[in-house]
Amino acid sequence: MAHEEVILLDFWPSMYGMRVRVALAEKGIKYEYKEQNLADKSPILLEMNPIFKKIPVLIHNGKPICESLNVVQYIDEVWKDKVTFLPSDLYEKYQALFWADYVEKVFDSGRKLWMEKGGEQQTRKDNYIDSLRMLEGILGDKPYFGGGKIGFLDIAFIGICSWFYTYEKFGEFSTEIEAPKIIAWVKMCMKMESVSKSVAEPLKVYDFALQIRKHYGLE
């Protein structure tokens, strides 16, 4: 392609943003990263995503693409001359898309572990672990959800590895004990520079979570 302008509006601890960062890195796409302050949203974010006013937003030659799974699919379809994320087989493609949507349930149940307090923590922990085990069943004995290489579902899910430490601290459990296949998968993914350099550092994420809890009076 001719010269292209690629800009990513993002927020460093966002699992959704990490998806896009990994996808761009996998494709070898150079881009300008613009960190966003979600407490004081920038004019460019409000202009490029006026409906939801959320990150991540990919701006490709001045045109915005919003919602992280849409962005990853867009990256896969636009830069076709490089590695591909979605299977060519239609059934496998739509299975990957279905389970990528399911990842939202995992993210949501994980968020409840550190953002809610009260007597239902055991239920919240059980729901989260159950959602991980559901994905373990989909992973099976494959190294990646995409089979022999990283694929769409891997990219959709990988940002969660940065949050495991936070979930474990608040939920008082070990992910490696509860979902060993998921941890083995994370270790495979982290061997890839496109992943290791794109996801946030777990201790930094934990510090961020503590700050958010303090802000909302949960500490």
Side-chain angles (χ1 to χ4, degrees), residues 9 35-38 40-48:
L9 309 182
E35 180 76 5
Q36 299 298 298
N37 177 0
L38 300 185
D40 184 16
K41 295 177 180 178
S42 67
I44 190 172
L45 177 60
L46 297 176
E47 177 188 355
M48 293 294 165

Side-chain angles (χ1 to χ4, degrees), residues 173-186:
F173 66 94
S174 163
T175 309
E176 190 152 23
I177 290 173
E178 301 293 348
K181 287 186 177 181
I182 294 296
I183 292 299
W185 164 77
V186 168

Side-chain angles (χ1 to χ4, degrees), residues 4-18:
E4 296 178 283
E5 180 188 54
V6 182
I7 299 170
L8 177 62
L9 309 182
D10 198 3
F11 180 45
W12 70 267
S14 169
M15 287 180 274
Y16 304 104
M18 289 183 223

Side-chain angles (χ1 to χ4, degrees), residues 155-171:
I155 292 169
F157 191 35
I158 193 55
I160 200 167
C161 69
S162 291
W163 284 82
F164 277 160
Y165 181 77
T166 298
Y167 299 159
E168 290 170 349
K169 291 288 284 186
F170 286 103

Side-chain angles (χ1 to χ4, degrees), residues 26 144 150 188-197:
E26 268 293 288
Y144 302 102
I150 194 169
M188 284 291 295
C189 291
M190 288 297 287
K191 291 178 181 178
M192 306 174 65
E193 189 174 294
S194 59
V195 175
S196 63
K197 291 191 173 181

Side-chain angles (χ1 to χ4, degrees), residues 34-117:
K34 291 190 175 182
E35 180 76 5
Q36 299 298 298
N37 177 0
L38 300 185
D40 184 16
K41 295 177 180 178
S42 67
I44 190 172
L45 177 60
L46 297 176
E47 177 188 355
M48 293 294 165
N49 191 359
I51 304 299
F52 296 117
K53 305 175 178 64
K54 294 179 179 179
I55 52 86
V57 179
L58 186 78
I59 307 170
H60 183 206
N61 293 332
K63 297 178 181 178
I65 304 93
C66 306
E67 297 295 288
S68 61
L69 291 179
N70 287 342
V71 176
V72 174
Q73 191 167 357
Y74 178 88
I75 291 168
D76 196 30
E77 293 180 3
V78 169
W79 287 277
K80 290 183 177 180
D81 56 329
K82 303 180 185 292
V83 295
T84 56
F85 305 145
L86 281 164
S88 56
D89 179 87
L90 278 180
Y91 177 76
E92 291 181 3
K93 173 181 176 178
Y94 284 98
Q95 283 294 100
L97 292 170
F98 173 85
W99 288 108
D101 281 336
Y102 177 83
V103 166
E104 181 65 30
K105 176 180 172 64
V106 189
F107 287 1
D108 185 59
S109 58
R111 183 190 62 80
K112 289 175 181 176
L113 280 174
W114 68 275
M115 270 299 286
E116 295 183 10
K117 62 189 296 186

